Amino acid sequence: MFADRAKIIIRSGKGGDGHVSFRRELYVPNGGPDGGDGGRGGDVIFEVDEGQNTLGDYRHKRKYKAEDGEQGGKRRCHGGDGKDIVLKVPEGTVIMEAQSRKVIADMSGDNRRQVVLKGGRGGKGNMHYATATMQVPKYAQPGQPCQELEVLLELKVIADVGLVGFPNVGKSTFLSRVTNAQPKIANYHFTTLSPNLGVVDTENGGFVIADIPGLIEGASEGVGLGHEFLRHIERTRVIIHIVDAASTEGRDPVDDIYKINKELEAYNPEIAGRPQVIAANKIDCLFDGEDSPVQKLKDEFEPKGIKVYPISAVTGQGVRELLFHVKELLDTCEQEPIVFEQEYFPEDMLINENLPFTVERSPEQPSVFVVEGPKIEKMLGYTNLDSEKGFAFFQKFLKEGGILEELEKAGIQEGDTVRMYGFDFDYYK
């Protein structure tokens, strides 16, 4: 089955922790610190794969993660870096933050490869913290945490021209006539379930055309497969409405155009404002008469600036004139391909994210403030609070992490006690 949308969870690698160790050699009983640095965590990278045209690979696996960096070792050994994970996607895939639907990356145009989540930096080993006054540092820096994000992948087909119309009006037949595409054609409603792309070559130039699957009323509200289909029109610069001028199924072609434009307007008004042309198809099924449906279409839409071309996708009648007009419309349109700008920056929101912590006054002892949080617990595990340097290191962490500010907001006074995972500290400014 065609898959043009997938929701997955991606996670970069955590940085390896710095190591705490000391030289221990024969005749060197008090060697200096030699704890090595942790390795860098792997990145999550998206890359365009020319051989893919769906997101089917992401339908059955939900979580993807890069490798964590290795912990530093003794004798100044640096931990190994974690391997990156490269996720291959078809050109035209837009990567969005799942909840806000803000764009992280648009894998089209010149953007063939992008790092979406960076791995955490490795922590420094204790060999970096030796000074003249602190020659035996018993603490090392923990590795930077990983980033995890739920993302929505959407494939938005890249084409200059989009064919729209109700099911069974002849879009697939038209595409097979004017391009080298070979769509499946049958007399069924909702025949096409995936967009078909083809290249049109005319004497005045070529362009890419996409058969967007049949629309129905309510598509802009997600009725049927509405949203899945409408998103493919977003990159097109010109829209061809194909209607059944012969009304072989009893439909009113004028009413069909209004209904399709209503769905486009409801989905994205900017798309509805792009240049349009109407292809009045199936004229080979019309009989001469006074009440011409093609003339009705012309009287209704040409005063609004939308040209109407009578065509037969089966015989080829009128198709050449239509394609020439479409190319002229494209030449007057903006030439730059439509690329979605980045709106969401994971590095700003996740790399520098302060992990949650809580500050609460003890109900039994009003002068005691309890502070808890995963980052605090980890820092306590890596810091030697018995040393002056280690205590200063931890105080800096409390200040930069906003913990001291929260304590002051909670009403702490000089001489009160701060309790963190079995450690009690007296608070002084």
Side-chain angles (χ1 to χ4, degrees):
M1 164 144 182
F2 178 80
D4 67 350
R5 196 179 194 193
K7 192 180 283 188
I8 61 173
I9 294 171
I10 53 175
R11 200 208 82 168
S12 63
K14 172 195 169 301
D17 297 329
H19 191 68
V20 177
S21 62
F22 300 90
R23 280 181 62 207
R24 290 291 181 265
E25 297 176 21
L26 195 61
Y27 309 119
V28 188
N30 297 313
D34 68 352
D37 299 343
R40 180 189 64 82
D43 298 336
V44 178
I45 301 169
F46 281 83
E47 189 174 86
V48 171
D49 182 354
E50 305 289 352
Q52 288 189 26
N53 54 18
T54 80
L55 294 168
D57 290 351
Y58 300 98
R59 285 173 61 85
H60 305 295
K61 184 179 176 185
R62 181 154 164 76
K63 293 188 177 181
Y64 299 83
K65 66 174 189 173
E67 277 190 358
D68 294 338
E70 292 183 356
Q71 183 178 342
K74 297 178 180 179
R75 300 179 183 176
R76 299 177 176 254
C77 286
H78 195 292
D81 292 340
K83 287 183 182 176
D84 300 334
I85 184 169
V86 179
L87 303 178
K88 305 277 182 102
V89 293
E91 183 175 6
T93 300
V94 179
I95 304 157
M96 295 176 280
E97 196 275 326
Q99 285 192 322
S100 66
R101 294 181 62 85
K102 288 184 177 179
V103 175
I104 300 171
D106 184 352
M107 306 305 295
S108 58
D110 295 331
N111 189 24
R112 318 306 287 177
R113 181 182 172 95
Q114 182 165 335
V115 177
V116 170
L117 292 185
K118 288 195 72 67
R121 290 190 306 272
K124 293 181 178 179
N126 70 333
M127 64 179 180
H128 293 278
Y129 298 106
T131 65
T133 56
M134 171 50 62
Q135 297 182 7
V136 190
K138 295 181 180 177
Y139 52 87
Q141 187 183 37
Q144 198 176 37
C146 64
Q147 301 179 63
E148 185 170 293
L149 194 60
E150 186 176 38
V151 295
L152 180 65
L153 309 180
E154 278 192 359
L155 177 59
K156 298 178 189 285
V157 169
I158 297 174
D160 300 305
V161 178
L163 297 180
V164 298
F166 277 80
N168 210 29
V169 294
K171 296 193 306 299
S172 296
T173 306
F174 176 81
L175 187 74
S176 66
R177 169 162 287 278
V178 301
T179 74
N180 56 357
Q182 295 180 331
K184 293 179 181 177
I185 301 169
N187 188 26
Y188 300 122
H189 293 285
F190 258 89
T191 327
T192 308
L193 284 179
S194 60
N196 289 297
L197 287 175
V199 178
V200 176
D201 287 316
T202 62
E203 288 93 330
N204 60 342
F207 52 88
V208 179
I209 192 167
D211 168 18
I212 308 299
L215 296 176
I216 60 172
E217 287 181 80
S220 59
E221 300 166 7
V223 174
L225 298 176
H227 280 168
E228 280 70 11
F229 293 165
L230 281 163
R231 74 169 59 91
H232 293 301
I233 306 173
E234 293 191 37
R235 293 192 200 269
T236 58
R237 295 187 287 137
V238 171
I239 295 170
I240 300 177
H241 292 263
I242 296 192
V243 292
D244 178 1
S247 302
T248 56
E249 295 191 347
R251 303 191 62 85
D252 178 359
V254 173
D255 187 49
D256 280 0
I257 296 292
Y258 280 120
K259 283 177 178 174
I260 288 170
N261 274 335
K262 182 181 175 185
E263 296 304 328
L264 294 177
E265 177 78 27
Y267 181 72
N268 186 336
E270 194 270 327
I271 296 172
R274 290 177 192 165
Q276 300 182 6
V277 60
I278 295 170
N281 192 25
K282 303 189 182 182
I283 59 169
D284 54 297
C285 299
L286 286 175
F287 301 99
D288 291 335
E290 294 181 8
D291 199 16
S292 167
V294 174
Q295 192 58 48
K296 277 187 178 179
L297 285 164
K298 288 186 174 184
D299 293 343
E300 184 71 27
F301 294 104
E302 289 198 343
K304 299 175 182 177
I306 303 174
K307 291 278 287 180
V308 177
Y309 284 85
I311 69 162
S312 169
V314 173
T315 67
Q317 183 182 347
V319 169
R320 184 172 178 272
E321 292 80 1
L322 169 67
L323 295 178
F324 263 69
H325 177 65
V326 169
K327 185 62 174 69
E328 287 170 1
L329 285 177
L330 285 170
D331 290 342
T332 61
C333 293
E334 189 178 325
Q335 292 296 315
E336 285 294 313
I338 297 168
V339 177
F340 298 95
E341 294 293 325
Q342 185 169 5
E343 304 167 315
Y344 187 97
F345 298 86
E347 61 271 21
D348 291 347
M349 303 182 187
L350 294 174
I351 287 183
N352 299 320
E353 179 186 38
N354 289 320
L355 291 176
F357 61 87
T358 57
V359 175
E360 295 180 352
R361 190 193 289 261
S362 170
E364 296 85 12
Q365 299 171 281
S367 62
V368 174
F369 291 77
V370 180
V371 181
E372 294 181 335
K375 195 169 183 179
I376 298 164
E377 185 176 22
K378 186 159 195 172
M379 285 300 290
L380 283 167
Y382 280 93
T383 307
N384 178 18
L385 298 176
D386 295 330
S387 73
E388 184 181 342
K389 179 91 173 180
F391 194 71
F393 185 76
F394 189 64
Q395 275 191 311
K396 183 181 177 185
F397 159 73
L398 295 179
K399 184 176 181 180
E400 292 181 352
I403 296 161
L404 293 181
E405 184 182 349
E406 288 300 316
L407 283 166
E408 288 171 5
K409 285 182 184 176
I412 196 167
Q413 301 294 321
E414 288 207 14
D416 286 350
T417 300
V418 180
R419 184 167 292 158
M420 302 180 186
Y421 295 98
F423 292 91
D424 284 355
F425 309 97
D426 292 333
Y427 174 79
Y428 293 100
K429 277 195 173 183

